[in-house]
Amino acid sequence: MNYLVGAFKPPCNIFISFTDGRSRKQVPLKKENGKTVMVALFQSQENIVGEVVIEPIHGKKVEHNGVKIELLGQIELYFDRGNFYDFTSLVRELDVPGELYERKTYPFEFSTVEMPYESYNGVNVRLRYILKVTISRNYVSNIVEYQDFVVRNYTPPPSINNSIKDVPCLNLSHSYHGSSARDDHLVPLQMEVGIEDCLHIEFEYSKSKYHLKDVIIGKIYFLLVRIKLKNMELEIRRRESTGSGPNTYVETETLAKFELMDGAPVRGESIPIRLFLSPYELTPTYRNINNKFSVKYYLNLVLVDEEDRRYFKQQEITMYRNLEAS
Amino acid sequence: MLNGTEDEEKWLAEGIAGIQHNAFYMHRALDSNNLREALKYSAQMLSELRTSKLSPHKYYELYMRAFDELKRLELFFKDDSKHGVSVVDLYELVQHAGNILPRLYLLCTVGSIYIKSKEAPAKEVLKDLVEMCRGVQHPIRGLFLRSYLAQISRDKLPDIGSEYEGDADTVMDAVDFVLQNFTEMNKLWVRMQHQGPGGVREKREKERSELQDLVGKNLHVLSQIEGVDLEMYKETVLPRVLEQVVNCKDDLAQYYLMDCIIQVFPDEYHLQTLETLLGACPQLQPTVDVKTVLSRLMDRLSNYAASSADVLPEFLQVEAFSKLSNAIGKVIEAQLDMPAVGAITLYVSLLTFTLRVHPDRLDHVDQVLGACVKKLSNIPKLEDSRAMKQVVALLSAPLEKYNDIVTALTLSNYPRVMDHLDIGTNKLMAMVIIQSIMKNNSCISTADKVEVLFELIKGLIKDIDGADVDELDEEDFKEEQNSVARLIHMLYNDEPEEMLKIICIVRKHTMVGGPKRLPFTVSSLVFSALRLLRQLQGQEGDIVGEEASMTPNKNFQLLTQIIESLSAVPSPELALRLYLQCAEAANGCDIEHVAYEFFTQAFVLYEEEIADSKAQVTAIHLIIGTLQRMNVFGVENRDTLTHKATGYSARLLKKADQCRAVYACSHLFWVDDQDGIKDGERVLLCLKRALRIANAAQQMANVARGSGGPVSLFVEILNKYIYFFEKGNKQITSSAIQGLIELINTEMQSDSTNPDSVADAFLASTLRYIQFQKQKGGVMGEKFESIKL
């Protein structure tokens, strides 16, 4: 990708490989050109060991001012195109200035690399890790080769993982009162009149923190139904906020729409929720990554009435990556 | 939502096309073992079932299409060599579908395989499925989904003896599952009434009733579970089903489900849980047709009782009758506005029940009738024809059961129920009673019973106030009265004393019947009395003196009184016949003065009442015939009577009638008995007189019409001559016969212009007879020898 176009064909090929490349897990990574490639997967504190092979094109000699390999952790904000923030930058010198006539192999090692953030490919932001090999040259541009890799960090299951609840009610389930949904519902104007007298639900999700292959188990209990509902869905929404202050950009994507209920319930009905998260492409929740961006997840319970008015209640959940489940 | 059948057809066609389209791709995926595609297209196919546009009937059609496809999918799922995914994973995988309805159909499908694989206890899977199905709250879609669940789980319940049986309490799991599914389905079904477009109530109810079997099927499944024994039925199944039935507060559902419970579970369970079942009835909505429910229950129990005598002790043990009786009482009490027909229908069922179960307990029957009377007495006037029919059924039931009116007569409330019938129905019922008596040939043998019986059938016996006489159909009336007349013959007792009482009672009742009825009843009564008379005669000697009240004389007095009542009608012909009949009976009793008295009455009637000439002819012949058979009279009395009779004969209007009556009188002087009177001279006199009259008739005819008169009269007289000649009357000579034959021949020739073929044939056969007698030889032949033909 970084080959210079046309006549400036680089005089050598550079291959970057990992020592445990064959046994290491590969995960798909979407490149800028939209293609998906499989790349090696690392986690923080791992040793990143490998070798760089430089192979001059037949009969050509490469003069250089030195060869180095860098491990870079970058955050790229799309609205700030071209600006990378390197939060991690490690360098290893591979060769002193000289000439290359033939294929040469340089082993490299970054020991217990601190990679606190996970690779992320969002709407407005990208966090990526790369190995960058640079052959510095005089007069002509440097020869550069990149190797992406992916970092995922596993967290142990949280010790406190409460069910999502608000006001404890007399019944056993902890519940969130639907009446407060008035604060943030998106309904047309005429619906503003007392949702308190129209719809009263309790809902309960078993946990507030989920790993990526988890199942959301829960229940919705209808305490009062005076509107003719048509159906009910559970949405998983991702909210990515980038930048800070006046330059904050927020993107919300709906990753899943899962129909929970068909038809109109009556008072006293309870509707089960069981949503498997595995089919969806989720990431852990990222909070204020390097002061550049955050990714948060929400469960959005949407009730639709016969006139297609939507009532919803959004609830944040924390996603985490769990080693066992992945 | 529905704009007519046409639109609906269109939508259905679209739905079917959608299913077919996706099923095609699904099949392709199945054939190429592509699980992903199979799931995708099956979910799309099932999405067609998400429609809200179809009525239940059409939706069912769509459902069945999808159902067939799901069977193929199930086969594919079952074979993990084809898709390489374990059933546990598959169970998760299908839950990824975003739309709930396809998701749950697929879940149920995989669930059934999951159970079969035994990788998880059936109980867990079933519990999960039935719980997850809550997500579909739309009545029709939910009902069909749950019905699908019921369908695929039917053979996989952890029942006793089933391969899916778990460790402990396993039947309970099966029962719990079915009960829960049933409860949810019923809730959905009830909800149909209140949700959906505000269409016409009838239409909605029709749609609902199309779906009722989906709900009821669960009860059927429950009844099929081996492990549901009486104990479990009593402790768990019935209370929980009833709880749902009562709580749903929907009349349609309550009625259907009660009926369903009664029909699907075994009779002995009902018997043992009668109290619980009946206890639910008063808790149902007031609009529920409880009476039909109870009637069905009682019908079933009745049939059960009738099926085998072995089960009867069970009925006694649980006091089925009193429980049912109480329940009915409560229902009727609770539902004040229940129409009379409803209450009576209930009583009919209860009666049928007790008749089958406790045929020996007449007190039960009477109790039911009593309750019915109580109910009826609260109603001013029974005008509902259906109610009337039910009362008739109520009253007919004991008759049919016991085949014996005598039993019914001991029921004190029976007549009280009849009092509540309108006139027409009362008559109808009376007819039923009579017919029952006739059919079974039952003999009513005590005066008391006769009294009760006549009380019952009084609608036929006399005019009831307010009856519209004009309305009466003549033929019906005749039919009724003939029946009463026949009935009188069924009242019989060998004891003359009792029989007399019976007759007196019948008389008492029939005498008030009025002129239209008397002609029918009196003759029966008379003959009944005459039978008693003959009976007395037969016993004479044995019991003389003891029963002084029972003399034939007394009897005859009674008869006279009875017949006299006819004078009010008036029906002189009938009275005359009856007098003659009595006279004959008196003759049999050898009581001359009574016989004479009867004849006197007959003659008086003839003289005073019978004016019609035809009737006179008939009457005179009857008199002659009867008189001829009397042997009780002394010479003087006999002379008087015969003289009278001959006199009357000669005074008939038509010559021919005169002639015939006179020659008939000849027999009065010649009784062909051992010691009968044989006065040849007067016989001849009669015949001669007849001949004279015939001659006169002939002449009159000649004068009046210019043609010959009735030659046949002569031939008839000739036959009389021959009769007496044969019997040895010396006054009748062969020459007289010869002369008569010649006379006839002359008459015939002179009258050749107007041949009378009948007379010709008559004459010819008479002559042939003479010829025959001549040829026979012997004494008779000699006698006839002198007659020349």
Side-chain angles (χ1 to χ4, degrees), chain B residues 184-214:
Chain B
E184 293 300 327
M185 281 178 88
N186 189 46
K187 282 200 227 160
L188 291 172
W189 187 45
V190 170
R191 205 183 294 168
M192 270 183 83
Q193 194 70 30
H194 314 289
Q195 286 188 350
V200 194
R201 188 183 162 85
E202 285 101 70
K203 189 183 159 205
R204 214 175 316 150
E205 282 181 355
K206 184 180 156 278
E207 290 189 348
R208 281 190 64 199
S209 58
E210 284 172 357
L211 292 172
Q212 63 185 16
D213 288 344
L214 296 183

Side-chain angles (χ1 to χ4, degrees), chain B residues 19 88 91 218 258 265 319 345 362 441 459 486 513-514 520 636:
Chain B
I19 285 184
V88 185
Y91 194 69
N218 286 297
M258 286 303 278
F265 291 107
E319 294 172 335
T345 312
L362 272 177
N441 236 337
R486 288 173 69 193
F520 292 93
E636 196 179 326

Side-chain angles (χ1 to χ4, degrees), chain A residues 71-74 85-90 113-117 129:
Chain A
L71 189 155
L72 299 173
Q74 296 180 326
Y85 301 90
D86 292 349
F87 55 89
T88 293
S89 180
L90 301 169
V113 187
E114 198 66 43
M115 293 178 289
Y117 310 127
Y129 289 92

